[in-house]
Amino acid sequence: MTYRQAALPAVVAGLLLTALLWWAGSSAQALELPGTTGVLGGRTTAELGYWLTPWSYDPPAAYRFGAEASGGLAGTAGGDGSRYLTLYTTAMQIRFAAVFAFFVPGALLLIRRLPPVSGRAPATALALWAWGLVAGTLAVTVSAPWLIASQGHGSYRFLPQWAGAMSSGRQIVVVTALVAAGAAVLLARITAREAEPPARTVVPARSARMAATAGTLVVAVSLVVLSYQPVTARIQEVSPGIGVLAEPGDLLRQWLLLGAWSGPAGTPVGDWLLRRAVDALLLAVVWWALRRLPSLLTRVTVPAMAAVAVCATVFGLLVCQVMRMAVDQADSRQGPMRWAADLGNNVPAALLFGVVAGAVAALLLRTAARRDRPQDGGSPAPAIHATDA
């Protein structure tokens, strides 16, 4: 697909994702209506409020009422809380603009390099879904400093506050990004209807396996090594610097850890093995994606491989989180909203290690292609398509 053909689906999907998040945030106020708790239940109402509030333009009640009485936000502003409300509004404007700004370039790259034609539509839809979650997480991250400042104590443990803020609002993005991905694929199929179907890239089987294994090992560093509890504790205890840059442990956890695990001490071995199998599923999804996707790309480049590796890692996380939800349903005291609370976790780490994994895989594929290129009229090295062995 040309950039012109890919631009319309990417822009429309970005606008749709932004509009859906704005609508979801606006719906947060409906949870405060009389009778809502009676219809949905107190726990479900609280969980929905936790999901939707990070995308709400309406400031929380503390901004509107309790600040003056408690000497908090408005008190620190000399009795005038308007500047804090302005900071809150600015944070939300940045958040929604950033969703669109982050989603569109990634979607444009994915649709151009992985057009939803010739059997690629499921892969394109899943990649765009995962990228929507990445865009939402990045938008929350870049707007968090303004949101922290609007609370009136931005200089107090700034990095831990930032880490907490950037992990919010992810559950509703999982839902809205799926809708936006479906719309993007539908439009992309329409715009590409008259275009000639692109040929699949020929990738040698041995090179594809080697590149997928190397990329998966990069992801395994986070999932297996850094996420081990003794190592996690060391990361948490890192505290160089003073002032606003002190206590970076929580922020490092967000960007370095794809999970958390320890030995089977104190838990049944069967349960421990089941949870480790769920973690191993993430590595299996990443390996399979890195093994198959290069043959679906119209051109194997470092940016394209990095993007698809990020999407594969995020999708693997979602699959594992859904599987973990199914395992946790044995606890009948928790409702479905509580089971879904972990959806969208660890996306920053998936972004970091996915980029590295994709770059490593692309460089290995490029090196293998140069090595296997025929010289002096020799016969080319054996190559296969994604549909082969």
Side-chain angles (χ1 to χ4, degrees):
M1 294 182 68
T2 64
Y3 280 112
R4 180 177 297 180
Q5 291 173 325
L8 178 62
V11 171
V12 170
L15 291 172
L16 179 60
L17 176 61
T18 306
L20 287 174
L21 288 173
W22 179 86
W23 172 79
S26 301
S27 302
Q29 295 301 313
L31 299 175
E32 300 177 5
L33 295 175
T36 302
T37 302
V39 174
L40 300 178
R43 178 175 294 181
T44 301
T45 301
E47 288 290 340
L48 279 175
Y50 179 73
W51 290 16
L52 300 178
T53 299
W55 299 98
S56 175
Y57 253 99
D58 296 320
Y63 287 81
R64 303 192 298 266
F65 305 113
E68 291 85 352
S70 63
L73 302 179
T76 58
D80 181 15
S82 61
R83 66 184 67 182
Y84 290 99
L85 292 175
T86 301
L87 279 172
Y88 183 89
T89 302
T90 301
M92 299 312 298
Q93 290 172 345
I94 293 172
R95 181 164 297 186
F96 285 104
V99 168
F100 181 81
F102 282 120
F103 180 81
V104 171
L108 181 62
L109 176 64
L110 289 170
I111 293 173
R112 176 163 164 75
R113 294 301 178 201
L114 192 63
V117 293
S118 303
R120 297 179 174 94
T124 308
L126 294 176
L128 290 171
W129 181 27
W131 185 255
L133 184 53
V134 172
T137 302
L138 289 175
V140 171
T141 300
V142 299
S143 61
W146 283 266
L147 196 65
I148 294 170
S150 70
Q151 297 170 3
H153 46 80
S155 61
Y156 174 70
R157 303 187 75 232
F158 174 73
L159 294 184
Q161 289 188 80
W162 196 6
M166 66 186 288
S167 64
S168 63
R170 60 190 181 275
Q171 297 92 346
I172 197 63
V173 182
V174 174
V175 180
T176 55
L178 181 60
V179 178
V185 169
L186 180 61
L187 283 174
R189 290 180 67 88
I190 294 174
T191 57
R193 185 164 47 191
E194 303 299 330
E196 182 179 352
R200 297 192 177 192
T201 303
V202 178
V203 180
R206 182 179 178 183
S207 300
R209 288 193 295 266
M210 180 179 64
T213 302
T216 304
L217 288 176
V218 172
V219 177
V221 169
S222 172
L223 184 64
V224 178
V225 179
L226 298 182
S227 296
Y228 184 47
Q229 281 192 356
V231 180
T232 301
R234 292 295 184 91
I235 294 174
Q236 184 69 44
E237 293 170 358
V238 171
S239 185
I242 57 176
V244 296
L245 297 181
E247 302 181 79
D250 290 335
L251 193 62
L252 290 174
R253 284 171 60 93
Q254 291 284 340
W255 287 97
L256 295 178
L257 306 184
L258 282 168
W261 68 281
S262 62
T267 59
V269 176
D271 292 346
W272 183 84
L273 290 175
L274 180 60
R275 293 184 178 276
R276 299 291 71 77
V278 173
D279 290 337
L281 180 61
L282 168 59
L283 298 179
V285 170
V286 172
W287 189 91
W288 182 85
L290 292 178
R291 168 66 182 85
R292 295 297 183 181
L293 286 178
S295 295
L296 298 179
L297 296 174
T298 57
R299 183 183 176 189
V300 178
T301 63
V302 173
M305 283 297 294
V308 298
V310 168
C311 295
T313 309
V314 173
F315 178 70
L317 279 174
L318 291 174
V319 171
C320 294
Q321 288 159 5
V322 170
M323 293 295 295
R324 197 169 288 113
M325 286 167 53
V327 172
D328 291 341
Q329 284 184 4
D331 187 356
S332 59
R333 294 171 298 178
Q334 296 183 352
M337 298 296 295
R338 186 66 188 89
W339 294 331
D342 291 335
L343 281 179
N345 277 344
N346 309 120
V347 172
L351 173 61
L352 175 61
F353 286 93
V355 167
V356 178
V360 168
L363 292 175
L364 286 177
L365 287 174
R366 185 170 296 180
T367 301
R370 286 197 297 264
R371 184 183 63 243
D372 296 338
R373 185 179 297 129
Q375 298 179 358
D376 300 328
S379 59
I384 64 167
H385 292 278
T387 53
D388 295 335

